[in-house]
Structures are given as structure tokens and as C-alpha cells.
């Protein structure tokens, strides 16, 4: 719990200890994490008709944890934790699988800027989750892999404007110069 920060930190900690995020692939983990970090501009999307990567049961489990948590918060007259919001789940899953931004946002109603802001929150949450179970190197590696799938394209450029994709870096590398007095060798054209 000491390493998890956010509006739904108690819920996130409960979900972590209850195994909600266990045994997922990186794209599914990134999608699942959106439920505990995303806050849509409208009312929370609490249910979907269909979930990506078979996450329906995981989200039902998360919802049950949230209900128990809010009952305890009410009982002790504490501020209630907001409900999990699954409204970003499909977009994040598509993005984490490698789809383009346009494909990821298709039919979502999200603006690109809102998605990028949410993606940064997901990356931060994945980093926190990885550190929360620092004694488990496989878990840490999974969280890092999920964050790496989110940290690309426009998200990467928003995080680090100087960042370049591998293709951009290769295109900007200087070409090897021939030693003085020698003519450069022309590559054979096919």
C-alpha cells in the first residue's frame, strides 16, 4: 500500500492482493489498470457488454472488492472510493496491442489528448504496481512490459519530446564516411 498512490489506492491495493491483475499478458494488464486510474469526463462507465482479453470476470471481481470497500467506508463515515471506470479499457487494450491511435480511439468518444493523459496515468500506475511487489521479479517484468507497450508513439513523444522511435533514430544516424583519399563504396542496387 505504501507504494500505491491515487484516488483509488485502497481499491488498487485490494485488487493487487486479491489477484485481479495476476496472470495477464501485458496488453490485458494495461487495459485492466485503466479501471483503477481512469476518470472519464462524464459519469463512470461501470460495465461493458463485452470486455477485451477475457477481462469480464476480473472486472466483476474488482467491482465486488469496490462494493466491500465502499460499505466499510460508509460504515466508518469515510469518503467513498470512486467506482472502477472501464470506459478506457478497449482503447488501451488496442493501443497496447500495437494498433494506431486512430484505431485505438475508434468509437470511444475520447479525444486524443484525453487518451494521452490517461496513458500517462496508466504508465505511472504500472510502475507503482511493479514496485508494490518488488520481491517478485516476474511481476515487475510484466508491469514494465505493459508500460512499454503503452509508452510509444504520441504517448512517448508527450512524455519525452526528444524521444525517437527506432525508425526515426535510424533515419537520422549519420552515414559512414569513407576514409580520406578513398571513394565511398556504392551499395549494389537490386
Amino acid at each position: 500500500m505504501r507504494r500505491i498512490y491515487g484516488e483509488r489506492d485502497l481499491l488498487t491495493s485490494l485488487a493487487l492482493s486479491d489477484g485481479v491483475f495476476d496472470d495477464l499478458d501485458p496488453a490485458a494488464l494495461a487495459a485492466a489498470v485503466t479501471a483503477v486510474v481512469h476518470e472519464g469526463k462524464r459519469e463512470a462507465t461501470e460495465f461493458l457488454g463485452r470486455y477485451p482479453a477475457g477481462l469480464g470476470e476480473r472486472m466483476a471481481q474488482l467491482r465486488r472488492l469496490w462494493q466491500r470497500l465502499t460499505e466499510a467506508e460508509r460504515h466508518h463515515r469515510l469518503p467513498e472510493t470512486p467506482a472502477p471506470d472501464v470506459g478506457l479499457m478497449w482503447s488501451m487494450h488496442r493501443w497496447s496491442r500495437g494498433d494506431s491511435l486512430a484505431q485505438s480511439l475508434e468509437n470511444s468518444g475520447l479525444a486524443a489528448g484525453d487518451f494521452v493523459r490517461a496513458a500517462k496515468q496508466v504508465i505511472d500506475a504500472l510502475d507503482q504496481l511493479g514496485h508494490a511487489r518488488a520481491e517478485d521479479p516476474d511481476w515487475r517484468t510484466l508491469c514494465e512490459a505493459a508500460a512499454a507497450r503503452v509508452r510509444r508513439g504520441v504517448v512517448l513523444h508527450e512524455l519525452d519530446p526528444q524521444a525517437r522511435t527506432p525508425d526515426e533514430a535510424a533515419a537520422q544516424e549519420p552515414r559512414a564516411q569513407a576514409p580520406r583519399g578513398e571513394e565511398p563504396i556504392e551499395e549494389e542496387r537490386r
Side-chain angles (χ1 to χ4, degrees), residues 45-47 51 55 75 77 93 95 124 158 164:
T45 304
E46 296 182 18
F47 301 100
Y51 291 85
L55 289 172
H75 177 76
R77 296 189 172 125
H93 187 256
W95 178 256
D124 187 45
E158 182 67 23
R164 297 179 297 175

Short mmCIF file of all heavy atoms in Angstrom, two decimals, residues 45-47 51 55 75 77 93 95 124 158 164:
data_model
loop_
_atom_site.label_atom_id
_atom_site.label_comp_id
_atom_site.label_asym_id
_atom_site.label_seq_id
_atom_site.Cartn_x
_atom_site.Cartn_y
_atom_site.Cartn_z
N THR A 45 -18.02 4.77 -16.49
CA THR A 45 -18.54 3.61 -17.20
C THR A 45 -18.24 2.42 -16.31
O THR A 45 -17.09 2.01 -16.16
CB THR A 45 -17.85 3.44 -18.57
OG1 THR A 45 -18.02 4.65 -19.31
CG2 THR A 45 -18.42 2.26 -19.33
N GLU A 46 -19.29 1.89 -15.67
CA GLU A 46 -19.07 0.83 -14.69
C GLU A 46 -19.14 -0.56 -15.29
O GLU A 46 -18.61 -1.50 -14.72
CB GLU A 46 -20.06 0.99 -13.54
CG GLU A 46 -19.83 2.29 -12.78
CD GLU A 46 -20.77 2.47 -11.60
OE1 GLU A 46 -21.36 1.47 -11.16
OE2 GLU A 46 -20.90 3.61 -11.14
N PHE A 47 -19.83 -0.71 -16.42
CA PHE A 47 -19.98 -2.03 -17.04
C PHE A 47 -19.83 -1.91 -18.55
O PHE A 47 -20.16 -0.89 -19.13
CB PHE A 47 -21.37 -2.62 -16.74
CG PHE A 47 -21.67 -2.78 -15.30
CD1 PHE A 47 -22.43 -1.86 -14.62
CD2 PHE A 47 -21.16 -3.87 -14.59
CE1 PHE A 47 -22.71 -2.00 -13.27
CE2 PHE A 47 -21.42 -4.03 -13.25
CZ PHE A 47 -22.20 -3.09 -12.58
N TYR A 51 -15.80 -7.41 -22.78
CA TYR A 51 -14.51 -6.92 -22.29
C TYR A 51 -13.38 -7.48 -23.15
O TYR A 51 -13.46 -8.61 -23.61
CB TYR A 51 -14.29 -7.35 -20.84
CG TYR A 51 -15.21 -6.65 -19.88
CD1 TYR A 51 -16.48 -7.13 -19.63
CD2 TYR A 51 -14.79 -5.50 -19.23
CE1 TYR A 51 -17.34 -6.47 -18.75
CE2 TYR A 51 -15.63 -4.84 -18.35
CZ TYR A 51 -16.89 -5.33 -18.12
OH TYR A 51 -17.73 -4.67 -17.26
N LEU A 55 -11.40 -10.05 -19.82
CA LEU A 55 -11.30 -9.36 -18.54
C LEU A 55 -12.62 -9.20 -17.81
O LEU A 55 -12.67 -8.60 -16.73
CB LEU A 55 -10.66 -7.97 -18.75
CG LEU A 55 -9.18 -7.99 -19.10
CD1 LEU A 55 -8.70 -6.59 -19.48
CD2 LEU A 55 -8.36 -8.53 -17.94
N HIS A 75 -19.63 2.73 6.56
CA HIS A 75 -19.77 2.33 7.96
C HIS A 75 -18.92 3.22 8.87
O HIS A 75 -19.33 3.58 9.97
CB HIS A 75 -19.39 0.85 8.13
CG HIS A 75 -19.45 0.38 9.54
ND1 HIS A 75 -20.64 0.09 10.18
CD2 HIS A 75 -18.46 0.18 10.46
CE1 HIS A 75 -20.38 -0.28 11.42
NE2 HIS A 75 -19.07 -0.24 11.62
N ARG A 77 -17.91 6.22 8.07
CA ARG A 77 -18.15 7.62 7.66
C ARG A 77 -16.92 8.26 7.04
O ARG A 77 -16.54 9.38 7.35
CB ARG A 77 -18.65 8.43 8.85
CG ARG A 77 -19.98 7.94 9.34
CD ARG A 77 -20.56 8.88 10.35
NE ARG A 77 -21.91 8.46 10.65
CZ ARG A 77 -22.35 8.20 11.86
NH1 ARG A 77 -21.54 8.32 12.89
NH2 ARG A 77 -23.59 7.83 12.05
N HIS A 93 -6.45 -1.37 -24.52
CA HIS A 93 -6.08 -2.71 -24.97
C HIS A 93 -5.63 -2.66 -26.43
O HIS A 93 -4.62 -3.26 -26.80
CB HIS A 93 -7.24 -3.69 -24.79
CG HIS A 93 -6.85 -5.10 -25.08
ND1 HIS A 93 -7.20 -5.74 -26.24
CD2 HIS A 93 -6.09 -5.97 -24.37
CE1 HIS A 93 -6.69 -6.96 -26.22
NE2 HIS A 93 -6.02 -7.12 -25.10
N TRP A 95 -4.44 -0.06 -28.10
CA TRP A 95 -3.16 0.67 -28.16
C TRP A 95 -2.01 -0.23 -27.71
O TRP A 95 -0.96 -0.27 -28.33
CB TRP A 95 -3.25 1.92 -27.29
CG TRP A 95 -1.99 2.72 -27.22
CD1 TRP A 95 -1.11 2.77 -26.19
CD2 TRP A 95 -1.47 3.57 -28.24
NE1 TRP A 95 -0.07 3.61 -26.50
CE2 TRP A 95 -0.27 4.11 -27.75
CE3 TRP A 95 -1.90 3.93 -29.51
CZ2 TRP A 95 0.52 4.99 -28.49
CZ3 TRP A 95 -1.12 4.81 -30.25
CH2 TRP A 95 0.08 5.33 -29.74
N ASP A 124 2.21 5.34 -15.04
CA ASP A 124 2.57 5.62 -13.65
C ASP A 124 2.03 4.53 -12.72
O ASP A 124 2.74 4.05 -11.83
CB ASP A 124 2.03 6.99 -13.24
CG ASP A 124 2.50 7.41 -11.87
OD1 ASP A 124 3.70 7.26 -11.57
OD2 ASP A 124 1.66 7.90 -11.08
N GLU A 158 4.88 12.69 -25.94
CA GLU A 158 4.35 13.56 -24.90
C GLU A 158 5.18 13.44 -23.62
O GLU A 158 5.43 14.43 -22.94
CB GLU A 158 2.89 13.19 -24.61
CG GLU A 158 2.22 14.06 -23.59
CD GLU A 158 2.02 15.51 -24.00
OE1 GLU A 158 1.98 15.80 -25.21
OE2 GLU A 158 1.93 16.37 -23.11
N ARG A 164 12.81 9.38 -29.82
CA ARG A 164 12.63 8.98 -31.22
C ARG A 164 12.34 7.49 -31.26
O ARG A 164 12.88 6.72 -30.47
CB ARG A 164 13.89 9.27 -32.03
CG ARG A 164 14.22 10.75 -32.10
CD ARG A 164 15.47 10.98 -32.88
NE ARG A 164 16.59 10.34 -32.18
CZ ARG A 164 17.81 10.28 -32.66
NH1 ARG A 164 18.09 10.78 -33.82
NH2 ARG A 164 18.78 9.71 -31.98
#
